[in-house]
Amino acid sequence: MSRTVTRTRLVVAAAAAGVVVLAGCSSSDPASDDASAASCEPAKGKVTLQYWNTVNGMDKVVDLWNKKHPDIQVETKNISNDQYGAIGNALKAGKAPDLAQVGYDQLPTLRTQDAFVDASACKTAADAKAKFVPWTWSQASFGDTGVFALPQDTGPMALYVRTDIFKKYDVPIPTTWDEYASAAEALHKADPKLTITFFDPNNAEWFNGLLWQNNASMYAYSGDKWRVTVDSDKSRQVADYWQDLIDKKLVRTDIANGSQQMFAAYQNNQMATQVGAAWGYSGIRDNLPGQAGKWSVVPMPTWGAGGNSGDWGGSTVAFMKGGKHLHEAAEFNTWLNTDPEALAMSNELGGLYPASNDGLKLPALAKGVPYYNNEKIFDVFAESSKKIDTDFAWGPTQKTVNLALQDAMAKAAAGDGKLTGALAAAQSAALKSMQDLAIPAEAGK
């Protein structure tokens, strides 16, 4: 299967992010980036690289590399418990790894902290551009100003469904958000212990995916200035929708995505769907083995017939500032994210949905998945990826915005305020954080 998404305006915004951040933050000096990019000499003798990530099974993928490359050994560390805290602390201490997994949405924020080194002097890394879906490369390279990271995976969204529960209560599987709300009411009426899903107030990335689906652009860039539109009419439509489900107790708010509590609720038949991303298929499969054949993957409910889809997550493998072996890091990074055998293992063990062109042609992605009734679930994600808003862009202080959004959403879920208020708080945080970094920005509509 192939992915033909092109994201022209997102590329422009990514390029602008790089320019504005460098202009507004003295620690990010273009000259220092050029100096870093000037050297990509192979090491003399054996090298050991440090690679931090959050992917299940990545140690086995690294083992495969190590067996084939005795002179370039890689040590991997899983930082799932505190991904960006670990990276941030390492940067402050001057002990960052050679390579680290970084989400697309966090690249601009870490760029303001001078976290990356430009690997464009490494021919292997520079020549890899043609191997990736174009929009992913543009985000990772800040609009082709350098090679700061290589794309790893993407997160087109869909709906994971317990088809047996819907069949039991004779409730149609929803195709729109209106139908989803109706299904939520019907299921909860049939079984008061059953909710259609959960709303994780501490997961801004997931909520951003919902905004993305509704064309609720959070940022735009023009005239050398950022326009912040986190608190827009489109965003409030999404917030009001989920607030209504929360108020009616049709979704749970006490569950964190990926937690043991979440899987326990599914195990006990207390929730019937999950609004998730492509990379989540293995989590359900591996944690709920007894429910094989009961789950299906269908298109994400839309705001109207034939509407857009959303993207949640997706990551890069970034070249971190302070790494001593850029040449070797480029060799491993390129292999990790373009080699068919490595990509197949990452998909099977960690559920990654590849960002490389060849990765999207993996035989496993064209086959039925036994756990999901032998359905070709990746066809659903492929179609989802074609319906993602190409104008969506991340801001240069996204981490700060996400934290503000989560804090306010958690209060709203506990009855202190509304989700629309969380959008207003996130908008204020975006404007203030940009102002603090001397990045020109204004509120938009």
Side-chain angles (χ1 to χ4, degrees):
M1 66 186 66
S2 62
R3 179 166 178 165
T4 58
V5 177
T6 57
R7 305 192 173 189
T8 304
R9 295 185 187 177
L10 192 149
V11 173
V12 172
V19 174
V20 173
V21 168
L22 291 175
C25 182
S26 60
S27 64
S28 294
D29 182 357
S32 67
D33 286 334
D34 291 341
S36 298
S39 177
C40 190
E41 294 296 323
K44 297 178 180 179
K46 187 175 180 179
V47 164
T48 299
L49 303 174
Q50 298 293 323
Y51 167 42
W52 292 4
N53 66 88
T54 66
V55 182
N56 291 335
M58 188 53 69
D59 55 331
K60 294 181 174 60
V61 183
V62 169
D63 286 344
L64 176 63
W65 164 272
N66 287 338
K67 290 176 182 178
K68 295 182 176 183
H69 301 83
D71 292 333
I72 306 177
Q73 294 291 285
V74 178
E75 295 179 352
T76 182
K77 178 181 179 180
N78 191 295
I79 53 172
S80 298
N81 291 334
D82 186 19
Q83 182 180 6
Y84 296 109
I87 292 174
N89 290 336
L91 286 168
K92 291 177 183 178
K95 297 180 179 180
D98 299 271
L99 298 163
Q101 180 185 358
V102 177
Y104 297 105
D105 62 332
Q106 296 301 321
L107 285 171
T109 295
L110 285 171
R111 182 78 188 277
T112 68
Q113 301 172 23
D114 198 24
F116 308 127
V117 61
D118 182 359
S120 59
C122 299
K123 184 174 176 11
T124 299
D127 289 350
K129 177 179 179 179
K131 298 181 179 181
F132 292 95
V133 174
W135 77 266
T136 64
W137 182 269
S138 297
Q139 280 206 351
S141 61
F142 299 103
D144 297 328
T145 62
V147 182
F148 301 93
L150 296 188
Q152 183 167 59
D153 72 310
T154 62
M157 298 178 75
L159 186 67
Y160 292 84
V161 179
R162 277 287 301 275
T163 52
D164 60 319
I165 293 178
F166 279 81
K167 184 177 181 180
K168 177 181 179 180
Y169 296 115
D170 194 26
V171 176
I173 294 175
T175 61
T176 68
W177 285 116
D178 284 343
E179 292 176 0
Y180 191 80
S182 296
E185 291 184 357
L187 291 173
H188 191 60
K189 182 178 181 181
D191 180 357
K193 295 181 180 179
L194 176 64
T195 62
I196 196 166
T197 193
F198 64 100
F199 182 97
D200 182 358
N202 295 302
N203 197 322
E205 290 84 358
W206 174 77
F207 189 75
N208 290 339
L210 300 178
L211 299 181
W212 192 334
Q213 184 202 21
N214 199 31
N215 298 331
S217 298
M218 301 171 74
Y219 308 90
Y221 186 86
S222 63
D224 297 326
K225 181 179 292 186
W226 282 95
R227 189 175 300 275
V228 182
T229 55
V230 177
D231 186 16
S232 67
D233 290 343
K234 287 282 191 178
S235 296
R236 287 191 288 273
Q237 182 183 10
V238 176
D240 283 336
Y241 176 87
W242 287 93
Q243 185 67 59
D244 185 58
L245 293 181
I246 291 171
D247 291 344
K248 293 178 179 177
K249 301 189 183 305
L250 297 178
V251 296
R252 293 179 61 170
T253 59
D254 61 337
I255 289 178
N257 181 71
S259 65
Q260 291 183 353
Q261 188 181 15
M262 182 194 83
F263 290 115
Y266 284 124
Q267 181 65 49
N268 294 325
N269 304 319
Q270 295 172 346
M271 296 191 299
T273 72
Q274 183 180 18
V275 182
W279 45 262
Y281 89 96
S282 61
I284 292 176
R285 177 198 65 189
D286 297 342
N287 288 278
L288 300 167
Q291 293 183 356
K294 296 181 179 180
W295 285 90
S296 289
V297 178
V298 300
M300 189 177 182
T302 64
W303 291 102
N308 285 348
S309 189
D311 186 277
W312 172 21
S315 295
T316 68
V317 177
F319 298 97
M320 303 303 294
K321 197 83 169 182
K324 299 179 180 179
H325 304 290
L326 187 58
H327 172 83
E328 290 74 20
E331 294 294 316
F332 169 70
N333 199 348
T334 304
W335 173 88
L336 179 67
N337 293 303
T338 64
D339 179 82
E341 191 173 5
L343 292 171
M345 290 183 68
S346 296
N347 173 258
E348 180 182 359
L349 299 174
L352 296 187
Y353 189 73
S356 71
N357 294 315
D358 286 344
L360 295 178
K361 301 174 185 176
L362 289 176
L365 299 187
K367 297 179 180 178
V369 179
Y371 183 88
Y372 295 91
N373 274 315
N374 287 315
E375 296 172 7
K376 295 183 177 181
I377 66 171
F378 293 108
D379 286 355
V380 178
F381 293 118
E383 285 302 310
S384 171
S385 70
K386 296 175 184 177
K387 296 180 179 180
I388 295 173
D389 175 18
T390 60
D391 292 345
F392 199 86
W394 300 113
T397 58
Q398 191 67 45
K399 183 177 180 179
T400 298
V401 175
N402 284 351
L403 290 173
L405 184 61
Q406 289 174 179
D407 180 64
M409 287 198 303
K411 292 178 180 177
D416 182 8
K418 300 292 183 180
L419 292 178
T420 50
L423 293 172
Q427 169 110 352
S428 296
L431 292 169
K432 184 179 186 305
S433 59
M434 291 185 195
Q435 181 182 15
D436 291 344
L437 290 171
I439 298 174
E442 65 181 10
K445 295 182 180 180

